[in-house]
Amino acid sequence: MIRFDKVTKIYSDNTYAARDLSLHIRPAEFVSIVGQSGTGKTTLAKMVIAEERPSKGRVIIGSWDITAVRSADIPVLRRQVGMVFQDFKLLPKKTVYENVAFALEVCGVNQGHINRIVPQVLKVVGLNEKRDKFPHQLSGGQRQRVAIGRALVHRPKVLVADEPTGNLDTINAQEIIELLLKINTLGTTIMLVTHNKDIVNRLRKRVISIDDGTIVSDQQSGKYII
Amino acid sequence: MLITVYRTSKFAFQNVWRNLWLSIITIFILTLTLLTTSLVATLNIVADQAVQAVEEKINIDIYFKPEVDEQDVITAQVWLQSIPEVKSVRYVSRDEALEKFKASHANNPNIAAALAELTDNPLPASLVIQAYALQDYAVITQQFEASQYDTLVQDKNFSDHQLVIERLSSIIRRLYQGALVVSLIFIIISVIMMFNTVRVAIYAHREELGIMKLVGATNWFVRAPFILEGLVYALVSSSIAMVLLWITMAAATPYVNNFFTGYNFSLSLFFQEHFWYIFAFQVVVSIVLAVGSSMLSIGRYLRV
Ligand SMILES: Nc1ncnc2c1ncn2[C@@H]1O[C@H](COP(=O)(O)OP(=O)(O)O)[C@@H](O)[C@H]1O
Ligand SMILES: [Mg+2]
């Protein structure tokens, strides 16, 4: 589902964020990407949604080689790959419902469809009764659930989560991980970027450890080793 | 599709509304730009028409001595008509000249009285020559003076109209050049202004735009509001410019018409006849300016 083929990423100031890196994530897999900060995890995630392009090598999503994807095709890709971040990226002046609906509105989806999908998604992320609250009226965990809900509206095949629990306390973090697991059981491939040791160790899923832009270990039922 | 247009327009109008002062200044600058460019375009057309109107009035009058026979005058007329530069030669007989003179001074009792005392017609017969082009008059005069007919002539006049034309052309040329410079300056200012206004709008919405791109909004959906914003500015300012132009025309008409009394030219008539042309011209200019600079700004600041 996600394939990196000998990918090297060099930023304009000559920093290497990936060095000849290859990996393959299969459909419906749940993979954690771990490593110290500054080792290139976010760069990997950004390459999956074509926010960054590899300097060398190829990136393939499904059967689509997005290495040199045209900017006009990026919206198509972004509807197939959802992404959430540590800082949620919600619109503060929109309610929970509106934040989720926004993702459909800006893609030209008609109102009837929006009215049907948004409540479904809010139910999946467990926020149906908070639909008219604004982000500042929610806990961090709830905000992240709104962001996940928004990432799900296009029914993406892949969900990339870059440190989704980075701003959350242990309990909230655990809730988010459980939500990701639930979404995974519904068939979505999950790429979870994190450096939370407890979470990774408890997950007992595949773990890829990265250091200085290279994969240092890839274990099927892994532990956080660095 | 319709829902997309609606959502985009809403977004665009919000941009205009939220930065109201910036919008007002942008519209103001754009309006000034339109007024000056219309002035340039109008002067260009008016200059031609005005010069043409004056040119129509230009001719050479050749007055024959009173003792010259009508037959000789007609021979001279036929000879003149054979010169290629000559467009027309009209014969004005002594009687016709007197009739005209009486008619044009009919409401002056002194002249009427003086004329009534005359037994003899004091006015000479004349030929009125029109050339195809302004510069031909010199050639025609030269040829005539070299001919045998020159001895029959009492008086010729020509030069006074040439002065009018030269003065008129130079005034219009100077106005045109001034307006051109001013309008170029305004065009530059308004491009910078629009560019900046859209930049501010993009900056104000950077969060929203980032999320739009993240969730898969198409590039056009992201850009459209800002292009539409340019369109709103274009339409509003060309409408304002049109109203201002109307008022200016109404105020200037008496003076301009006064200047052209007796000539076949009217400013207000010109404006009325060309209203839709001018409006279309302004809409096109403002759209090119506003939407163009908005696109420049989008290309520069809105990475999609
Ligand atoms: N846009 C950028 N320009 C230049 N260097 C960057 C940029 N983004 C990240 N980097 C550098 O690339 C390396 C990897 O960064 P990142 O992928 O964010 O790592 P991580 O997510 O693991 O902390 C770091 O050294 C970082 O400073
Ligand atoms: Mg990171």
Side-chain angles (χ1 to χ4, degrees):
Chain A
M1 184 45 98
I2 303 174
R3 186 186 288 278
F4 280 71
D5 191 10
K6 296 202 172 87
V7 169
T8 297
K9 174 68 189 178
I10 312 164
Y11 282 109
S12 52
D13 56 354
N14 236 7
T15 8
Y16 277 73
R19 296 169 194 268
D20 200 30
L21 183 150
S22 297
L23 66 82
H24 181 207
I25 296 172
R26 281 174 291 279
E29 235 186 324
F30 188 120
V31 177
S32 306
I33 311 277
V34 302
Q36 305 268 300
S37 96
T39 53
K41 306 181 298 294
T42 295
T43 304
L44 279 190
K46 282 181 173 173
M47 285 194 278
V48 173
I49 61 165
E51 201 177 312
E52 292 290 351
R53 311 286 179 114
S55 311
K56 272 185 223 145
R58 295 191 305 154
V59 179
I60 295 151
I61 305 298
S63 54
W64 184 6
D65 187 340
I66 61 155
T67 312
V69 63
R70 292 184 315 144
S71 91
D73 290 332
I74 289 179
V76 181
L77 175 70
R78 302 255 168 105
R79 292 175 205 183
Q80 290 171 24
V81 182
M83 177 133 184
V84 295
F85 302 87
Q86 183 171 354
D87 60 355
F88 321 129
K89 297 198 193 298
L90 299 177
L91 292 168
K93 292 198 185 108
K94 287 192 190 289
T95 64
V96 167
Y97 186 94
E98 288 164 349
N99 263 287
V100 175
F102 183 69
L104 291 164
E105 283 172 6
V106 300
C107 294
V109 174
N110 70 47
Q111 203 57 47
H113 198 61
I114 294 177
N115 294 343
R116 225 163 331 121
I117 290 190
V118 178
Q120 280 175 21
V121 164
L122 288 179
K123 215 164 107 194
V124 171
V125 298
L127 282 176
N128 234 338
E129 66 289 358
K130 301 276 184 198
R131 50 175 286 165
D132 295 322
K133 294 270 189 284
F134 289 91
H136 69 90
Q137 298 171 309
L138 302 175
S139 74
Q142 288 166 335
R143 285 184 217 176
Q144 191 58 288
R145 282 193 269 158
V146 179
I148 292 171
R150 186 181 62 197
L152 293 178
V153 285
H154 297 303
R155 305 184 185 285
K157 298 184 202 128
V158 177
L159 182 64
V160 180
D162 187 7
E163 316 252 13
T165 61
N167 277 346
L168 305 180
D169 60 34
T170 323
I171 297 170
N172 273 308
Q174 199 50 48
E175 274 178 20
I176 291 300
I177 297 303
E178 260 144 39
L179 176 58
L180 292 178
L181 282 167
K182 177 173 148 196
I183 292 163
N184 179 238
T185 59
L186 297 174
T188 305
T189 309
I190 309 276
M191 177 171 157
L192 168 68
V193 173
T194 184
H195 58 230
N196 187 320
K197 201 171 185 165
D198 289 345
I199 285 174
V200 175
N201 290 344
R202 215 173 312 156
L203 266 171
R204 313 216 152 271
K205 297 271 189 188
R206 183 177 169 197
V207 178
I208 297 173
S209 310
I210 298 203
D211 191 27
D212 194 23
T214 47
I215 294 177
V216 291
S217 91
D218 183 348
Q219 296 175 292
Q220 231 16 261
S221 176
K223 295 229 170 204
Y224 195 107
I225 56 159
I226 300 167
Chain B
M1 184 58 206
L2 216 65
I3 192 75
T4 305
V5 171
Y6 167 74
R7 285 172 189 154
T8 316
S9 320
K10 205 174 120 192
F11 198 89
F13 278 103
Q14 268 176 7
N15 283 353
V16 175
W17 188 246
R18 280 188 194 158
N19 281 300
L20 193 60
W21 274 110
L22 193 58
S23 307
I24 289 173
I25 295 168
T26 309
I27 288 172
F28 179 69
I29 296 285
L30 211 53
T31 305
L32 285 180
T33 309
L34 286 176
L35 285 176
T36 50
T37 35
S38 316
L39 186 63
V40 170
T42 311
L43 277 177
N44 212 354
I45 302 167
V46 168
D48 278 354
Q49 295 219 344
V51 169
Q52 224 180 333
V54 176
E55 266 177 9
E56 269 170 29
K57 281 268 168 169
I58 293 197
N59 49 45
I60 310 175
D61 295 318
I62 298 177
Y63 298 100
F64 290 85
K65 291 173 182 158
E67 66 271 17
V68 174
D69 264 0
E70 185 168 28
Q71 198 48 50
D72 291 337
V73 177
I74 300 215
T75 320
Q77 181 187 18
V78 172
W79 177 79
L80 276 166
Q81 259 157 356
S82 68
I83 299 175
E85 282 86 359
V86 171
K87 188 173 156 194
S88 69
V89 184
R90 204 166 63 77
Y91 170 55
V92 181
S93 68
R94 298 181 62 186
D95 292 343
E96 196 185 337
L98 186 64
E99 286 310 312
K100 260 205 187 144
F101 188 80
K102 276 182 181 164
S104 64
H105 295 92
N107 44 13
N108 187 329
N110 292 337
I111 292 181
L115 283 174
E117 278 178 26
L118 287 173
T119 48
D120 216 13
N121 181 356
L123 295 177
S126 64
L127 289 176
V128 181
I129 305 167
Q130 281 220 304
Y132 283 104
L134 204 55
Q135 65 271 21
D136 291 340
Y137 285 103
V139 181
I140 296 165
T141 316
Q142 262 172 27
Q143 289 205 31
F144 188 81
E145 279 165 1
S147 76
Q148 66 200 63
Y149 305 105
D150 198 42
T151 52
L152 308 176
V153 166
Q154 174 183 16
D155 194 13
K156 294 188 285 274
N157 77 24
F158 170 57
S159 54
D160 35 329
H161 280 304
Q162 191 163 18
L163 237 133
V164 173
I165 291 225
E166 273 164 13
R167 232 184 55 202
L168 184 67
S169 319
S170 95
I171 290 172
I172 290 177
R173 205 176 324 115
R174 237 173 296 152
L175 264 175
Y176 177 76
Q177 283 164 350
L180 194 66
V181 170
V182 173
S183 83
L184 281 179
I185 292 171
F186 272 118
I187 284 175
I188 293 168
I189 294 176
S190 63
V191 167
I192 293 171
M193 196 70 205
M194 261 316 288
F195 184 82
N196 193 55
T197 303
V198 170
R199 190 182 70 140
V200 168
I202 290 172
Y203 186 76
H205 287 282
R206 64 197 180 286
E207 222 185 344
E208 232 163 324
L209 292 167
I211 293 169
M212 281 164 83
K213 286 187 263 174
L214 185 74
V215 298
T218 58
N219 294 347
W220 276 112
F221 195 95
V222 177
R223 284 185 196 129
F226 301 103
I227 294 170
L228 214 67
E229 193 183 340
L231 207 64
V232 171
Y233 289 128
L235 292 179
V236 170
S237 47
S238 43
S239 305
I240 294 176
M242 233 28 216
V243 171
L244 289 180
L245 212 58
W246 185 282
I247 294 169
T248 316
M249 286 286 172
T253 295
Y255 300 99
V256 179
N257 286 356
N258 203 21
F259 187 80
F260 287 108
T261 348
Y263 297 97
N264 179 21
F265 179 80
S266 158
L267 186 63
S268 57
L269 200 67
F270 174 84
F271 184 67
Q272 275 165 27
E273 279 172 356
H274 294 83
F275 182 86
W276 291 111
Y277 285 112
I278 300 172
F279 191 53
F281 170 82
Q282 295 199 338
V283 168
V284 169
V285 168
S286 58
I287 285 178
V288 168
L289 280 182
V291 175
S293 30
S294 161
M295 300 258 268
L296 277 181
S297 196
I298 291 167
R300 177 83 173 72
Y301 297 106
L302 190 63
R303 278 192 47 217
V304 287

